């Protein structure tokens, strides 16, 4: 039950959005079968991949996820007939959008894991965790989250006069104390 | 779109062309108001300043005789048939003046059951282009003052209108600025792309003008206004801005007709239509779908095929 626990410098936070009928059951099977996988993953259960809105993925990244996994039933196995087919199109489009704005798609994994595939769950989670571990923390969305427009500008350039280039902006900045 | 063979290439579009379109619109509007085909016509009236135009709903023959079409007729009028203005349609059939790109919005709205074809009388405009923003409005439309979107327009010749005003004329050899800009961004290293969009999005003041002007943002409750739970922060700060723009682009994917109204009204000059175009391109490549060319049963993200590409899924 207690696998060897290697201490790493960086423990990635992985958020997994899974469908309750297949992948959640698959992850559960992995657990009850005492399979070992990285404890980095936080599992969030949804009725269907069709319910997983792209905004959830953004939210996960903003709140500190270094990697996101979205996983549901194999095509044809959806409890609601076609939820995963719709999700597949939506996520194909969403990936293109994220890529266009400069998000590294290696941090975002989609998979089909059935209720019987405890082993595949372990593989997918392990692979994503290790991949993200080598990539390091994901700073982009976190930075946004932390940023107040002006404080960032001041941080970004040692000489804030370069950015706060109007007297009004400078005065406003100085007045925040 | 398939009328490429008949087009006239010219170096400038003289006011006379717009005058001819204006006459045709007036004639048609007067006719359909007189014979009570429609209760009103949504079109353009001269703006208060020289070289401007304002959208208007005209209901009398006298007003209809004042309708115009000029390069200043930039607005996509289909937005007046959605949202709060839906009341217009309750009175009866409505006429609408529509350029090619506005026709795409109408077709999209029909696809989404927001409009019924039989409720509309469409006066299609064979449109050579409109003014871009911040240009001198001299009357003659040239390569120098034409809107960005018009450089790559594929719908100069509107299809599916009840009548068409004008003949087919377009400016010759325009550089496809948006396509070039999109290719430039796509070629950037990933971190540079992030920096590019981050800079743009960080200037967003969340005025929501882009949403208000978009014919497809007709949701009674926008996801971005919801605060229980809050999906997207609503204050103009970096994280919420990024989320807002990604949500907007996603919601418009496969629906946006590329009228570029969102970009035109943005007070912060954020190149929103680049995102729209990128999504349109993706959906064309993946599902061979182009929004708004004709009403369809379902948009690309409301349907699926069992053998859709899933190479990105493990
Ligand atoms: S995009 Fe085409 S139809 Fe629309 S205003 Fe420009 S030229 Fe006219
Ligand atoms: S942004 Fe999305 S939710 Fe908001 S009005 Fe537009 S389409 Fe609707
Ligand atoms: S997203 Fe912009 S370009 Fe697309 S339909 Fe809406 S206003 Fe027009
Ligand atoms: S119009 Fe421009 S500034 Fe206003 S919310 Fe849209 S993108 Fe932001």
């Amino acid at each position: 039950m207690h696998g060897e626990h290697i201490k790493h410098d960086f423990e990635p936070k992985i958020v997994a959005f899974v469908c309750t009928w297949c992948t959640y059951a698959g992850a559960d099977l992995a657990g009850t079968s005492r399979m070992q996988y990285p404890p980095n993953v936080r599992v969030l259960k949804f009725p269907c991949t069709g319910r997983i809105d792209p905004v959830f993925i953004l939210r996960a990244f903003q709140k500190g996820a270094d990697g996101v996994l979205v996983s549901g039933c194999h095509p044809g196995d959806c409890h609601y007939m076609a939820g995963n087919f719709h999700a597949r199109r939506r996520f194909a489009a969403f990936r293109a959008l994220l890529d266009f704005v400069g998000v590294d798609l290696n941090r975002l994994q989609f998979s089909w894991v059935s209720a019987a595939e405890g082993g595949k769950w372990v593989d997918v989670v392990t692979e994503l965790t290790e991949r993200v571990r080598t990539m390091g923390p994901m700073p982009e969305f976190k930075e946004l989250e932390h940023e107040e427009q002006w404080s960032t500008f001041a941080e970004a350039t040692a000489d804030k006069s370069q950015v706060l280039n109007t007297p009004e902006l400078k005065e406003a900045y100085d007045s925040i104390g | 779109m398939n009328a490429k063979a008949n087009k006239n290439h010219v170096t400038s579009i003289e006011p006379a062309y717009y005058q001819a379109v204006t006459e045709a619109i007036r004639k048609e509007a007067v006719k359909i108001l007189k014979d009570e085909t429609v209760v009103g016509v949504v079109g353009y009236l001269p703006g208060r300043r020289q070289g401007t135009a304002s959208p208007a709903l005209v209901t009398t023959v006298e007003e209809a005789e004042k309708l115009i079409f000029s390069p200043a007729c930039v607005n996509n009028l289909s937005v007046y048939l959605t949202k709060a203005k839906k009341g217009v349609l309750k009175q009866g059939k409505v006429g609408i003046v529509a350029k090619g790109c506005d026709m795409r919005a109408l077709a999209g709205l029909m696809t989404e059951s927001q409009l019924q074809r039989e409720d509309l009388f469409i006066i299609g405009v064979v449109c050579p282009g409109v003014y871009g923003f911040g240009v001198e409005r001299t009357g003659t439309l040239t390569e120098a003052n034409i809107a960005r979107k018009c450089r790559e327009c594929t719908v100069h010749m509107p299809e599916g209108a009840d009548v068409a005003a004008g003949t087919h004329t377009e400016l010759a050899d325009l550089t496809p600025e948006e396509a070039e800009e999109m290719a430039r961004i796509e070629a950037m290293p990933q971190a540079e792309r992030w920096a590019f969009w981050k800079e743009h999005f960080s200037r967003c003041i969340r005025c929501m003008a882009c949403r208000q002007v978009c014919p497809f943002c007709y949701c009674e409750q926008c996801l971005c206004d919801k605060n229980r739970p809050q999906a997207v922060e609503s204050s103009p700060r970096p994280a919420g801005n990024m989320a807002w723009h990604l949500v907007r682009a996603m919601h418009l994917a496969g629906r946006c007709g590329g009228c570029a109204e969102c970009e035109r009204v943005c007070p912060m000059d954020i190149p929103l239509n680049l995102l729209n175009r990128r999504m349109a391109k993706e959906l064309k490549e993946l599902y061979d779908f182009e929004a708004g060319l004709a009403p369809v049963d379902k948009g690309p993200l409301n349907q699926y095929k069992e053998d859709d590409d899933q190479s990105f899924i493990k």
Side-chain angles (χ1 to χ4, degrees), chain A residues 52-128:
Chain A
I52 300 168
D53 193 296
V55 86
F56 300 163
I57 299 175
L58 294 177
R59 203 86 186 139
F61 281 132
Q62 280 178 8
K63 297 297 171 196
D66 301 298
V68 170
L69 170 67
V70 177
S71 183
C73 309
H74 286 270
D77 292 349
C78 178
H79 188 78
Y80 307 100
M81 311 311 286
N84 54 354
F85 285 126
H86 286 285
R88 185 168 64 182
R89 282 203 168 193
R90 192 185 310 144
F91 288 126
F94 189 53
R95 274 169 49 91
L97 177 61
L98 286 183
D99 185 48
F100 191 57
V101 298
V103 175
D104 193 332
L105 294 182
N106 286 314
R107 297 187 181 273
L108 183 55
Q109 176 79 52
F110 296 91
S111 65
W112 308 130
V113 174
S114 80
E117 295 176 318
K120 182 168 178 190
W121 167 258
V122 171
D123 291 348
V124 168
V125 169
T126 310
E127 203 183 300
L128 177 62

Side-chain angles (χ1 to χ4, degrees), chain B residues 117-131:
Chain B
R117 184 65 183 88
E118 56 271 24
D119 291 340
L120 299 179
F121 186 97
I122 305 174
I123 305 177
V125 173
V126 183
C127 168
V130 295
Y131 290 138

Side-chain angles (χ1 to χ4, degrees), chain B residues 99-101 127-130 149-150 153 155-156:
Chain B
K99 309 183 286 293
C101 49
C127 168
V130 295
K149 64 171 178 179
C150 303
C153 176
V155 287
H156 291 284

Side-chain angles (χ1 to χ4, degrees), chain A residues 43-55:
Chain A
V43 178
L44 286 94
K45 184 166 81 155
F46 288 80
C48 177
T49 35
R51 174 62 185 97
I52 300 168
D53 193 296
V55 86

